[in-house]
Amino acid sequence: MNTETAANTVTTKTTGMTINTETIKKRISVRTYEEKKIPEQVMQQVREYLEQDDNPFGVPITFSILNTEKDGVSSPVIVGADTYVAGKYQKQKNAEIAFGYSFEKLVLYATSLGLGTVWLAATIDRKAFEKAINLGEKEVMPAVTPLGYAAQKRSIRENLMRKGMKSDHRLPVEELFFEGDFQHPLREENAGKWTGPLELVRLAPSATNKQPWRAVTEEGRVHFYEAKTKGYDRESTGDIQKVDLGIALCHFDIAAKEAGLGGRFIQSDPGIAAPENTEYIATYELEK
Ligand SMILES: Cc1cc2nc3c(=O)[nH]c(=O)nc-3n(C[C@H](O)[C@H](O)[C@H](O)COP(=O)(O)O)c2cc1C
């Protein structure tokens, strides 16, 4: 990762802005924007950030900053924003997870600059975005986000969407996190050092707020899984719930660093019997 762990926070190299658990708690999807231009100096910070944004899975993500008028891009659910960031990857192992991790860091960085964002995978003019970023045959653009300043009042459509997806709610801990195996829901008194990082996993945004992340804790490790819903793995977007998992891992990593846990992600399936349609993704392992 192109970040420095100074004391207990993750500080970006170029700008010194801090992405921390407070930033994660502040983030919320914004679909209604003020018609206010983003100052050039702020855009410069975003550009510099994008140049150094990376992920622990070693998959490069390419970002493009787009303008609604110049590039002809749009989304039917967005009001008032004229700037977007799109990201793409070359099809390869772990690409979706890497994308989720890197793009969420961008989202959090933008949040730390006072900008509003929202992950958009479905409700966009996908053809226009893919053309604007010159998407190649072996490339995938899972999602984009507008950038801008949140309006005081949400559009009626945005309010309805939030209600429909229960965007202000998250699944209870006992449905998401387990100890040792999938038979034993994680009890608060046993969560210990994993409490904080897992709480921030719960706050992560996900496609239609499905929250597909599951985790099984052990003393020195947490195994992450994807609980798949039919219809979320498409040619155009890749497996969008793997992107959700990348977002969850990003939140976990930031919180774990802040708590001084000093671990890393590995991929080594522990062979724990998992429920149907639940796929092993990665393990966070404390250094021995
Ligand atoms: C990968 C991904 C794709 C998403 N796609 C869309 C989309 O196409 N349209 C949309 O309005 N919101 C989209 N969202 C936003 C989610 O609906 C939102 O994150 C969720 O309802 C939780 O609300 P919150 O982000 O305010 O916490 C997407 C989120 C993620 C993570």
Side-chain angles (χ1 to χ4, degrees):
M1 282 169 49
N2 260 339
T3 48
E4 287 164 10
T5 311
N8 290 326
T9 54
V10 181
T11 306
T12 60
K13 266 184 193 158
T14 44
T15 58
M17 289 301 297
T18 302
I19 301 174
N20 55 25
T21 50
E22 286 312 306
T23 328
I24 293 176
K25 288 177 191 160
K26 247 191 245 158
R27 185 216 59 83
I28 186 162
S29 291
V30 176
R31 299 179 182 81
T32 321
Y33 291 85
E34 268 181 38
E35 294 203 4
K36 175 177 152 193
K37 215 175 144 36
I38 304 170
E40 173 48 32
Q41 171 223 344
V42 175
M43 282 314 296
Q44 188 53 28
Q45 284 178 288
V46 173
R47 278 192 286 272
E48 282 174 21
Y49 185 74
L50 291 179
E51 272 169 33
Q52 53 108 62
D53 186 6
D54 68 359
N55 60 76
F57 299 92
V59 178
I61 307 300
T62 310
F63 297 95
S64 307
I65 298 178
L66 302 169
N67 177 271
T68 46
E69 258 183 43
K70 242 178 49 218
D71 300 299
V73 293
S74 63
S75 160
V77 297
I78 300 302
V79 179
D82 65 1
T83 305
Y84 282 84
V85 180
K88 65 177 179 180
Y89 61 72
Q90 291 271 347
K91 284 182 196 172
Q92 60 195 281
K93 188 172 177 246
N94 289 328
E96 290 111 321
I97 307 165
F99 185 91
Y101 191 105
S102 277
F103 204 87
E104 179 65 0
K105 273 209 307 182
L106 156 68
V107 159
L108 295 173
Y109 181 67
T111 306
S112 78
L113 293 177
L115 293 169
T117 59
V118 56
W119 279 81
L120 298 174
T123 57
I124 51 171
D125 180 348
R126 177 163 281 279
K127 266 205 184 119
F129 275 100
E130 291 184 352
K131 187 167 167 237
I133 65 166
N134 267 322
L135 194 78
E137 232 178 74
K138 295 194 171 123
E139 292 177 330
V140 178
M141 181 200 76
V144 308
T145 178
L147 289 183
Y149 295 98
Q152 293 280 342
K153 210 168 155 235
R154 289 183 182 133
S155 69
I156 293 170
R157 183 173 196 165
E158 177 166 24
N159 277 330
L160 286 174
M161 288 180 81
R162 292 196 69 82
K163 242 192 175 162
M165 293 186 288
K166 297 194 171 70
S167 294
D168 291 321
H169 297 275
R170 294 297 187 263
L171 294 169
V173 170
E174 58 271 22
E175 285 183 35
L176 300 173
F177 308 135
F178 303 85
E179 21 181 312
D181 58 36
F182 278 97
Q183 264 70 58
H184 297 89
L186 181 59
R187 278 170 301 169
E188 215 178 315
E189 65 269 28
N190 292 345
K193 56 187 170 293
W194 305 127
T195 306
L198 288 177
E199 196 42 43
L200 293 208
V201 165
R202 258 183 98 228
L203 295 184
S206 57
T208 60
N209 202 24
K210 281 277 175 210
Q211 308 159 60
W213 40 80
R214 300 290 179 271
V216 177
T217 65
E218 290 177 357
E219 178 48 35
R221 300 189 296 179
V222 181
H223 309 292
F224 288 91
Y225 295 79
E226 173 195 4
K228 293 162 184 280
T229 312
K230 265 205 185 99
Y232 283 70
D233 188 355
R234 294 190 191 163
E235 188 63 27
S236 58
T237 57
D239 181 348
I240 208 70
Q241 293 193 311
K242 282 209 167 61
V243 173
D244 292 338
L245 260 293
I247 299 173
L249 297 183
C250 172
H251 283 202
F252 188 93
D253 210 12
I254 289 170
K257 276 203 177 83
E258 202 171 295
L261 289 183
R264 65 192 178 110
F265 290 110
I266 58 164
Q267 287 177 310
S268 172
D269 189 342
I272 295 167
E276 220 183 315
N277 297 320
T278 303
E279 182 184 332
Y280 170 74
I281 297 292
T283 297
Y284 182 85
E285 185 175 63
L286 292 181
E287 258 144 49
K288 286 173 191 132

